[in-house]
Amino acid sequence: TNQPTAAPVPKSLREFLDGEGLGELYAPLFELGAEETGDLAEIEDSEFADIGICAEKGRWLRSKALESSGAPAEGVPPGSDDGV
C-alpha cells in the first residue's frame, strides 16, 4: 500500500479560523451550517457574500475545506482506483 504517512487531520472550524486569524467568521459560518472545516466546501459564493466574505476569500476557504477533509481538490489522486 502507498498510503500517505500523515493524512490530514480534520480540524474544528473554530481551530481552523482562529489559526488563520479569521475567528470573527466563526459565528456567521456556523449560522450557514458549517460545523467543521470540511463543511466550508458546501457553502456557495452567494452565501459567503451574504455574510460579507468576498468570492476570492470564499474560494480560498473552500479549497482549505477540501484539503482538511483529505479529498483531492480536483480529479482523482494519482495511483488511486477510480473505478469504484
Side-chain angles (χ1 to χ4, degrees):
T1 61
N2 59 353
Q3 294 294 322
T5 51
V9 176
K11 280 188 187 178
S12 77
L13 182 59
R14 184 177 287 284
E15 275 182 320
F16 166 70
L17 292 171
D18 286 347
E20 297 291 339
L22 300 171
E24 74 278 3
L25 298 179
Y26 177 76
L29 288 169
F30 187 82
E31 294 282 320
L32 291 176
E35 295 181 21
E36 298 177 1
T37 308
D39 296 335
L40 296 173
E42 306 298 319
I43 298 177
E44 303 290 330
D45 286 348
S46 60
E47 293 175 297
F48 282 130
D50 288 346
I51 61 170
I53 296 175
C54 68
E56 186 176 336
K57 186 177 275 185
R59 283 191 293 272
W60 179 82
L61 286 166
R62 271 200 301 273
S63 75
K64 291 296 182 183
L66 292 170
E67 285 175 23
S68 78
S69 70
E74 196 173 291
V76 179
S80 71
D81 180 4
D82 60 355
V84 177

